[in-house]
Amino acid sequence: MTDVPMTAGLLLAAGAGRRYGRPKALVELAGEPLVRRGVRLLRAGGCAPVHVVLGAGADDLPELPGAVPVRHDRWRDGLGSSLRRGLASLPATVPAAVVVLVDQPLLSPVAVRRVRAVHARGAAVAVATYAGRPGHPVLLDRSTWPLLDGYAVGDRGARDLLRARPDLVVEVPCDDAGSPADVDTPADLPLA
């Protein structure tokens, strides 16, 4: 879609993966580390630049072609801290960011393009939904980033902001565009 403005991609991949037993960014699916798969998802969805927030296991990660690694030394503070760090790392010219999590390897570039298109039509926040439930990707217009300071804390990302400010949110049905299934344990890893 040539009429959709460029938006950044932000992959949150800093966690230790306590339930998994190691950082999920290092886990492989079909021979590809989940962190590379997430970068590929965002790039295929038309995002540029793509920033990856790294913390636990950062020194063991492979090269990330097409992405800017963002070291986050305070990753233990939780998802909210990683989200705010990632957004702060983006260039001032970026109008919005599409946020995805490294442990959702079945998301589709189609869903990324859909939330970008809704933003191009004026939405401040665009959230992919699956069976009527919000999931990822989530697109956040730059105008909403300062609001996250009061909501994205601990292990909470943008969810509380979305609940508190439904006037900002446009839901984007993506049932036919991948799956938001999390990989929390080795048993959750899909076969591919």
Side-chain angles (χ1 to χ4, degrees):
M1 295 181 198
T2 59
D3 61 331
V4 177
M6 280 306 221
T7 56
L10 183 58
L11 177 63
L12 303 181
R18 286 182 293 274
R19 287 179 284 175
Y20 198 92
R22 63 184 175 126
K24 294 180 212 170
L26 300 170
V27 172
E28 291 189 3
L29 175 60
E32 180 181 38
L34 294 185
V35 67
R36 279 195 182 158
R37 190 176 185 96
V39 169
R40 188 167 47 82
L41 163 76
L42 290 165
R43 291 183 54 78
C47 294
V50 173
H51 284 205
V52 182
V53 180
L54 303 171
D59 294 332
D60 299 322
L61 288 170
E63 292 287 321
L64 298 174
V68 175
V70 177
R71 188 88 177 210
H72 184 40
D73 294 332
R74 296 185 59 191
W75 61 268
R76 287 178 186 85
D77 291 348
L79 178 68
S81 174
S82 293
L83 174 59
R84 292 189 323 274
R85 171 71 176 103
L87 292 172
S89 76
L90 295 170
T93 56
V94 167
V98 175
V99 181
V100 296
L101 307 176
V102 76
D103 67 352
Q104 294 182 327
L106 300 180
L107 294 178
S108 166
V110 171
V112 174
R113 286 191 292 274
R114 284 182 187 168
V115 297
R116 288 182 55 238
V118 168
H119 176 257
R121 294 192 297 269
V125 177
V127 179
T129 62
Y130 304 86
R133 297 185 61 173
H136 285 86
V138 174
L139 182 140
L140 300 167
D141 185 84
R142 180 176 284 279
S143 65
T144 68
W145 300 359
L147 301 174
L148 290 168
D149 288 343
Y151 294 99
V153 295
D155 282 327
R156 308 293 280 193
R159 181 182 349 176
D160 291 342
L161 170 64
L162 306 182
R163 287 180 181 155
R165 294 293 309 272
D167 56 304
L168 298 175
V169 179
V170 174
E171 294 185 347
V172 182
C174 291
D175 297 287
D176 62 336
S179 167
D182 288 343
V183 173
D184 288 328
T185 68
D188 297 332
L189 194 65
L191 300 175

